[in-house]
Amino acid sequence: RRRGRPERILLIRPDHLGDVLLTTPAIRALRHALPTVELHALVGSWSAGVLAHFNEIDTVLTLPFPGFTRAPNETLTSAYTLAFDTARMLRRIGYSHAVILRPDHWWGALVAFLAGIPQRIGSTHPDVAPFLTDALPLPHEHVVLQSAHLLTPIHALSPLDLELKFSITDDDAAWARGFLGEQDRAPIAIHVGAGTAVKQWQLEKWAQVADALADQLETRVLLTGGEHEAPIAYQIAAQMQHTPIHAAGETTIGTLAALFARCQIVLGADSGPMHLAAAVGTPTVTLFGPADPLEFGTWGAAEQHPMLFSEIGCRPCRVLDWSGDDPAHHPCVREITVARVLEAARRALTA
């Protein structure tokens, strides 16, 4: 063990695609600053495919984090049993530092405490701080910057070094070429998923945007989404005049990134795949509802990644689940007009 230098660092992030992807600029910058340090990430199996594309991380450990599995059978007892079992595993591996990258993740902080990791870093959230050795106040800023801030006790990172990039493998690139076939012009993509109903834009509006852009750019429209979002894609297609290319339910994280890299632009509601599109260098237009774009906006040049939101007074409420309430009662996304989306798309393409 080298005095004064961390030997093995554990980065804990239980979230799904978008949040995990937005931690990678800080992780990459930390690796470049400390090339000999061993970096491990503890994430859900649902996002392990994101970090598999980052050589800066030595080991990716997966765990069914309580509250993030989207499974109905979790109990308070099972959460604590898993915490003790996980702590024993981490203690055997041995870490000098643990960083809780989600500000309110008390469970991850508890596990790091039970594992006896000497330096435990996280936010000053009242449920998290009691388990930490270093509790840092987080300014109201983008989560990319917040992640870098949480790594400050290990090494101070410059915002200029925080670049969002996602590497595409040769196999994924070949799959995308085969899926799209020969195209005279690069297609435009609309990601139909939104995570929760309150983020979802009206399907008829997406159909109007798709037809308008297909006419203006003289190209085809690619509809993407998860397997559970395939019905939404078919509903949008049914309202279109042009026949789109259906990719919903057909992709992995890697092949979705490869498809986005071959598109002129990607449009969609606030979701993880929109960050993936930006990470492969494709212009985006993102529609925001209850989430705060200051924290979760697209990381990149603003002129290439315009973000749209309504001026409703309660935005951003940050409430993503209204327990089955009618989305019409929450108009923050639904108030965005087709004209604004088309204008933003033209701006992004011009930039």
Side-chain angles (χ1 to χ4, degrees), residues 239-272:
Q239 300 179 62
M240 291 174 56
Q241 296 178 357
H242 297 276
T243 301
I245 305 169
H246 284 278
E250 302 292 334
T251 57
T252 63
I253 292 173
T255 54
L256 180 61
L259 284 179
F260 284 160
R262 299 181 66 84
C263 291
Q264 295 186 49
I265 190 170
V266 180
L267 303 94
D270 165 36
S271 63

mmCIF file of all heavy atoms in Angstrom, residues 239-272:
data_model
loop_
_atom_site.group_PDB
_atom_site.id
_atom_site.type_symbol
_atom_site.label_atom_id
_atom_site.label_comp_id
_atom_site.label_asym_id
_atom_site.label_seq_id
_atom_site.Cartn_x
_atom_site.Cartn_y
_atom_site.Cartn_z
ATOM 1 N N GLN A 239 -50.196 6.488 -36.878
ATOM 2 C CA GLN A 239 -50.684 7.848 -37.121
ATOM 3 C C GLN A 239 -49.790 8.620 -38.095
ATOM 4 O O GLN A 239 -50.033 9.795 -38.366
ATOM 5 C CB GLN A 239 -50.764 8.608 -35.792
ATOM 6 C CG GLN A 239 -51.706 7.953 -34.786
ATOM 7 C CD GLN A 239 -51.762 8.700 -33.456
ATOM 8 O OE1 GLN A 239 -52.165 9.852 -33.392
ATOM 9 N NE2 GLN A 239 -51.340 8.034 -32.396
ATOM 10 N N MET A 240 -48.764 7.960 -38.633
ATOM 11 C CA MET A 240 -47.842 8.607 -39.562
ATOM 12 C C MET A 240 -48.241 8.346 -41.009
ATOM 13 O O MET A 240 -48.828 7.307 -41.329
ATOM 14 C CB MET A 240 -46.406 8.099 -39.332
ATOM 15 C CG MET A 240 -45.776 8.524 -38.026
ATOM 16 S SD MET A 240 -44.141 7.741 -37.751
ATOM 17 C CE MET A 240 -43.263 8.227 -39.247
ATOM 18 N N GLN A 241 -47.872 9.271 -41.865
ATOM 19 C CA GLN A 241 -48.059 9.086 -43.298
ATOM 20 C C GLN A 241 -46.902 8.286 -43.894
ATOM 21 O O GLN A 241 -47.090 7.543 -44.867
ATOM 22 C CB GLN A 241 -48.178 10.441 -43.994
ATOM 23 C CG GLN A 241 -49.402 11.247 -43.565
ATOM 24 C CD GLN A 241 -49.458 12.606 -44.231
ATOM 25 O OE1 GLN A 241 -48.556 12.977 -44.978
ATOM 26 N NE2 GLN A 241 -50.515 13.349 -43.961
ATOM 27 N N HIS A 242 -45.708 8.461 -43.346
ATOM 28 C CA HIS A 242 -44.535 7.726 -43.804
ATOM 29 C C HIS A 242 -44.387 6.439 -42.991
ATOM 30 O O HIS A 242 -44.800 6.366 -41.834
ATOM 31 C CB HIS A 242 -43.275 8.577 -43.658
ATOM 32 C CG HIS A 242 -43.282 9.814 -44.498
ATOM 33 N ND1 HIS A 242 -42.912 9.825 -45.822
ATOM 34 C CD2 HIS A 242 -43.638 11.090 -44.208
ATOM 35 C CE1 HIS A 242 -43.022 11.045 -46.313
ATOM 36 N NE2 HIS A 242 -43.461 11.837 -45.350
ATOM 37 N N THR A 243 -43.759 5.436 -43.600
ATOM 38 C CA THR A 243 -43.525 4.172 -42.912
ATOM 39 C C THR A 243 -42.176 4.235 -42.202
ATOM 40 O O THR A 243 -41.133 4.376 -42.862
ATOM 41 C CB THR A 243 -43.522 2.996 -43.903
ATOM 42 O OG1 THR A 243 -44.786 2.954 -44.577
ATOM 43 C CG2 THR A 243 -43.294 1.683 -43.175
ATOM 44 N N PRO A 244 -42.154 4.140 -40.885
ATOM 45 C CA PRO A 244 -40.883 4.243 -40.156
ATOM 46 C C PRO A 244 -40.150 2.904 -40.095
ATOM 47 O O PRO A 244 -40.691 1.851 -40.450
ATOM 48 C CB PRO A 244 -41.325 4.681 -38.764
ATOM 49 C CG PRO A 244 -42.655 4.008 -38.604
ATOM 50 C CD PRO A 244 -43.293 4.012 -39.965
ATOM 51 N N ILE A 245 -38.918 2.974 -39.623
ATOM 52 C CA ILE A 245 -38.141 1.779 -39.310
ATOM 53 C C ILE A 245 -38.343 1.485 -37.830
ATOM 54 O O ILE A 245 -38.129 2.350 -36.978
ATOM 55 C CB ILE A 245 -36.644 2.003 -39.593
ATOM 56 C CG1 ILE A 245 -36.423 2.459 -41.033
ATOM 57 C CG2 ILE A 245 -35.852 0.736 -39.302
ATOM 58 C CD1 ILE A 245 -34.999 2.941 -41.292
ATOM 59 N N HIS A 246 -38.762 0.278 -37.500
ATOM 60 C CA HIS A 246 -39.035 -0.075 -36.100
ATOM 61 C C HIS A 246 -37.813 -0.729 -35.465
ATOM 62 O O HIS A 246 -37.343 -1.763 -35.932
ATOM 63 C CB HIS A 246 -40.228 -1.028 -36.009
ATOM 64 C CG HIS A 246 -41.550 -0.372 -36.209
ATOM 65 N ND1 HIS A 246 -42.205 0.289 -35.197
ATOM 66 C CD2 HIS A 246 -42.321 -0.257 -37.318
ATOM 67 C CE1 HIS A 246 -43.347 0.776 -35.669
ATOM 68 N NE2 HIS A 246 -43.430 0.466 -36.948
ATOM 69 N N ALA A 247 -37.306 -0.125 -34.393
ATOM 70 C CA ALA A 247 -36.205 -0.726 -33.640
ATOM 71 C C ALA A 247 -36.562 -0.931 -32.175
ATOM 72 O O ALA A 247 -35.737 -1.418 -31.408
ATOM 73 C CB ALA A 247 -34.954 0.135 -33.749
ATOM 74 N N ALA A 248 -37.766 -0.539 -31.754
ATOM 75 C CA ALA A 248 -38.163 -0.681 -30.352
ATOM 76 C C ALA A 248 -38.164 -2.150 -29.951
ATOM 77 O O ALA A 248 -38.794 -2.977 -30.609
ATOM 78 C CB ALA A 248 -39.533 -0.060 -30.122
ATOM 79 N N GLY A 249 -37.453 -2.466 -28.894
ATOM 80 C CA GLY A 249 -37.368 -3.840 -28.422
ATOM 81 C C GLY A 249 -36.335 -4.680 -29.134
ATOM 82 O O GLY A 249 -36.185 -5.867 -28.827
ATOM 83 N N GLU A 250 -35.585 -4.095 -30.071
ATOM 84 C CA GLU A 250 -34.630 -4.851 -30.885
ATOM 85 C C GLU A 250 -33.180 -4.620 -30.489
ATOM 86 O O GLU A 250 -32.289 -5.248 -31.057
ATOM 87 C CB GLU A 250 -34.804 -4.466 -32.369
ATOM 88 C CG GLU A 250 -36.189 -4.699 -32.937
ATOM 89 C CD GLU A 250 -36.518 -6.177 -33.048
ATOM 90 O OE1 GLU A 250 -35.585 -6.995 -33.174
ATOM 91 O OE2 GLU A 250 -37.719 -6.523 -32.987
ATOM 92 N N THR A 251 -32.917 -3.719 -29.532
ATOM 93 C CA THR A 251 -31.541 -3.286 -29.301
ATOM 94 C C THR A 251 -31.054 -3.572 -27.887
ATOM 95 O O THR A 251 -31.835 -3.676 -26.946
ATOM 96 C CB THR A 251 -31.422 -1.762 -29.544
ATOM 97 O OG1 THR A 251 -32.346 -1.069 -28.695
ATOM 98 C CG2 THR A 251 -31.720 -1.423 -30.997
ATOM 99 N N THR A 252 -29.739 -3.671 -27.786
ATOM 100 C CA THR A 252 -29.051 -3.602 -26.506
ATOM 101 C C THR A 252 -28.580 -2.162 -26.320
ATOM 102 O O THR A 252 -28.771 -1.316 -27.200
ATOM 103 C CB THR A 252 -27.837 -4.536 -26.482
ATOM 104 O OG1 THR A 252 -26.892 -4.086 -27.478
ATOM 105 C CG2 THR A 252 -28.245 -5.975 -26.790
ATOM 106 N N ILE A 253 -27.934 -1.873 -25.207
ATOM 107 C CA ILE A 253 -27.381 -0.528 -25.020
ATOM 108 C C ILE A 253 -26.356 -0.227 -26.113
ATOM 109 O O ILE A 253 -26.348 0.864 -26.704
ATOM 110 C CB ILE A 253 -26.758 -0.391 -23.624
ATOM 111 C CG1 ILE A 253 -27.848 -0.437 -22.549
ATOM 112 C CG2 ILE A 253 -25.959 0.907 -23.511
ATOM 113 C CD1 ILE A 253 -27.328 -0.473 -21.129
ATOM 114 N N GLY A 254 -25.514 -1.203 -26.411
ATOM 115 C CA GLY A 254 -24.476 -0.990 -27.409
ATOM 116 C C GLY A 254 -25.025 -0.808 -28.816
ATOM 117 O O GLY A 254 -24.573 0.079 -29.556
ATOM 118 N N THR A 255 -25.997 -1.632 -29.214
ATOM 119 C CA THR A 255 -26.528 -1.507 -30.575
ATOM 120 C C THR A 255 -27.410 -0.262 -30.708
ATOM 121 O O THR A 255 -27.482 0.337 -31.783
ATOM 122 C CB THR A 255 -27.320 -2.756 -30.976
ATOM 123 O OG1 THR A 255 -28.350 -3.022 -30.000
ATOM 124 C CG2 THR A 255 -26.402 -3.964 -31.067
ATOM 125 N N LEU A 256 -28.067 0.146 -29.620
ATOM 126 C CA LEU A 256 -28.831 1.390 -29.665
ATOM 127 C C LEU A 256 -27.886 2.568 -29.887
ATOM 128 O O LEU A 256 -28.165 3.465 -30.694
ATOM 129 C CB LEU A 256 -29.620 1.578 -28.375
ATOM 130 C CG LEU A 256 -30.477 2.844 -28.286
ATOM 131 C CD1 LEU A 256 -31.546 2.869 -29.378
ATOM 132 C CD2 LEU A 256 -31.126 2.968 -26.910
ATOM 133 N N ALA A 257 -26.759 2.571 -29.189
ATOM 134 C CA ALA A 257 -25.767 3.629 -29.385
ATOM 135 C C ALA A 257 -25.274 3.641 -30.824
ATOM 136 O O ALA A 257 -25.104 4.707 -31.432
ATOM 137 C CB ALA A 257 -24.600 3.433 -28.422
ATOM 138 N N ALA A 258 -25.057 2.454 -31.390
ATOM 139 C CA ALA A 258 -24.581 2.372 -32.767
ATOM 140 C C ALA A 258 -25.626 2.893 -33.753
ATOM 141 O O ALA A 258 -25.279 3.537 -34.753
ATOM 142 C CB ALA A 258 -24.205 0.933 -33.101
ATOM 143 N N LEU A 259 -26.893 2.625 -33.495
ATOM 144 C CA LEU A 259 -27.956 3.180 -34.347
ATOM 145 C C LEU A 259 -27.981 4.695 -34.248
ATOM 146 O O LEU A 259 -28.063 5.401 -35.263
ATOM 147 C CB LEU A 259 -29.314 2.607 -33.929
ATOM 148 C CG LEU A 259 -29.642 1.174 -34.340
ATOM 149 C CD1 LEU A 259 -31.016 0.781 -33.807
ATOM 150 C CD2 LEU A 259 -29.600 1.008 -35.857
ATOM 151 N N PHE A 260 -27.927 5.221 -33.033
ATOM 152 C CA PHE A 260 -27.955 6.678 -32.848
ATOM 153 C C PHE A 260 -26.771 7.343 -33.566
ATOM 154 O O PHE A 260 -26.902 8.436 -34.111
ATOM 155 C CB PHE A 260 -27.915 7.023 -31.361
ATOM 156 C CG PHE A 260 -29.214 6.800 -30.643
ATOM 157 C CD1 PHE A 260 -29.239 6.673 -29.256
ATOM 158 C CD2 PHE A 260 -30.419 6.720 -31.317
ATOM 159 C CE1 PHE A 260 -30.435 6.486 -28.569
ATOM 160 C CE2 PHE A 260 -31.624 6.520 -30.647
ATOM 161 C CZ PHE A 260 -31.624 6.410 -29.267
ATOM 162 N N ALA A 261 -25.625 6.682 -33.552
ATOM 163 C CA ALA A 261 -24.439 7.264 -34.184
ATOM 164 C C ALA A 261 -24.610 7.401 -35.689
ATOM 165 O O ALA A 261 -23.915 8.204 -36.322
ATOM 166 C CB ALA A 261 -23.215 6.413 -33.866
ATOM 167 N N ARG A 262 -25.517 6.646 -36.282
ATOM 168 C CA ARG A 262 -25.748 6.696 -37.724
ATOM 169 C C ARG A 262 -26.913 7.609 -38.101
ATOM 170 O O ARG A 262 -27.290 7.676 -39.272
ATOM 171 C CB ARG A 262 -26.001 5.286 -38.257
ATOM 172 C CG ARG A 262 -24.832 4.326 -38.046
ATOM 173 C CD ARG A 262 -25.125 2.949 -38.623
ATOM 174 N NE ARG A 262 -25.230 2.993 -40.072
ATOM 175 C CZ ARG A 262 -24.210 2.941 -40.917
ATOM 176 N NH1 ARG A 262 -22.973 2.856 -40.438
ATOM 177 N NH2 ARG A 262 -24.394 2.981 -42.210
ATOM 178 N N CYS A 263 -27.480 8.303 -37.109
ATOM 179 C CA CYS A 263 -28.629 9.171 -37.356
ATOM 180 C C CYS A 263 -28.205 10.634 -37.463
ATOM 181 O O CYS A 263 -27.180 11.045 -36.912
ATOM 182 C CB CYS A 263 -29.660 9.031 -36.229
ATOM 183 S SG CYS A 263 -30.488 7.427 -36.201
ATOM 184 N N GLN A 264 -29.018 11.430 -38.175
ATOM 185 C CA GLN A 264 -28.776 12.870 -38.247
ATOM 186 C C GLN A 264 -29.065 13.545 -36.920
ATOM 187 O O GLN A 264 -28.377 14.476 -36.515
ATOM 188 C CB GLN A 264 -29.669 13.508 -39.321
ATOM 189 C CG GLN A 264 -29.396 13.071 -40.739
ATOM 190 C CD GLN A 264 -30.221 13.866 -41.731
ATOM 191 O OE1 GLN A 264 -30.269 15.088 -41.697
ATOM 192 N NE2 GLN A 264 -30.894 13.143 -42.616
ATOM 193 N N ILE A 265 -30.116 13.087 -36.246
ATOM 194 C CA ILE A 265 -30.569 13.714 -35.013
ATOM 195 C C ILE A 265 -31.443 12.715 -34.269
ATOM 196 O O ILE A 265 -32.041 11.821 -34.889
ATOM 197 C CB ILE A 265 -31.362 15.015 -35.307
ATOM 198 C CG1 ILE A 265 -31.626 15.809 -34.020
ATOM 199 C CG2 ILE A 265 -32.649 14.730 -36.064
ATOM 200 C CD1 ILE A 265 -32.178 17.207 -34.278
ATOM 201 N N VAL A 266 -31.493 12.834 -32.951
ATOM 202 C CA VAL A 266 -32.356 11.996 -32.111
ATOM 203 C C VAL A 266 -33.255 12.913 -31.304
ATOM 204 O O VAL A 266 -32.779 13.857 -30.657
ATOM 205 C CB VAL A 266 -31.532 11.090 -31.171
ATOM 206 C CG1 VAL A 266 -32.463 10.230 -30.315
ATOM 207 C CG2 VAL A 266 -30.579 10.208 -31.970
ATOM 208 N N LEU A 267 -34.552 12.636 -31.315
ATOM 209 C CA LEU A 267 -35.526 13.416 -30.563
ATOM 210 C C LEU A 267 -36.229 12.496 -29.576
ATOM 211 O O LEU A 267 -36.467 11.314 -29.855
ATOM 212 C CB LEU A 267 -36.571 14.060 -31.486
ATOM 213 C CG LEU A 267 -36.049 14.978 -32.588
ATOM 214 C CD1 LEU A 267 -35.867 14.202 -33.894
ATOM 215 C CD2 LEU A 267 -37.009 16.143 -32.819
ATOM 216 N N GLY A 268 -36.595 13.050 -28.419
ATOM 217 C CA GLY A 268 -37.320 12.246 -27.454
ATOM 218 C C GLY A 268 -37.559 13.000 -26.169
ATOM 219 O O GLY A 268 -37.051 14.111 -25.965
ATOM 220 N N ALA A 269 -38.344 12.390 -25.296
ATOM 221 C CA ALA A 269 -38.563 12.944 -23.965
ATOM 222 C C ALA A 269 -37.360 12.646 -23.084
ATOM 223 O O ALA A 269 -36.515 11.799 -23.403
ATOM 224 C CB ALA A 269 -39.835 12.358 -23.358
ATOM 225 N N ASP A 270 -37.266 13.352 -21.973
ATOM 226 C CA ASP A 270 -36.191 13.193 -21.001
ATOM 227 C C ASP A 270 -36.049 11.724 -20.612
ATOM 228 O O ASP A 270 -36.939 11.148 -19.992
ATOM 229 C CB ASP A 270 -36.510 14.075 -19.789
ATOM 230 C CG ASP A 270 -35.688 13.732 -18.569
ATOM 231 O OD1 ASP A 270 -34.514 13.374 -18.740
ATOM 232 O OD2 ASP A 270 -36.232 13.848 -17.458
ATOM 233 N N SER A 271 -34.930 11.104 -20.987
ATOM 234 C CA SER A 271 -34.699 9.687 -20.693
ATOM 235 C C SER A 271 -33.228 9.371 -20.902
ATOM 236 O O SER A 271 -32.492 10.129 -21.545
ATOM 237 C CB SER A 271 -35.557 8.786 -21.605
ATOM 238 O OG SER A 271 -35.176 8.964 -22.963
ATOM 239 N N GLY A 272 -32.806 8.218 -20.395
ATOM 240 C CA GLY A 272 -31.417 7.806 -20.515
ATOM 241 C C GLY A 272 -30.915 7.707 -21.944
ATOM 242 O O GLY A 272 -29.788 8.131 -22.238
#
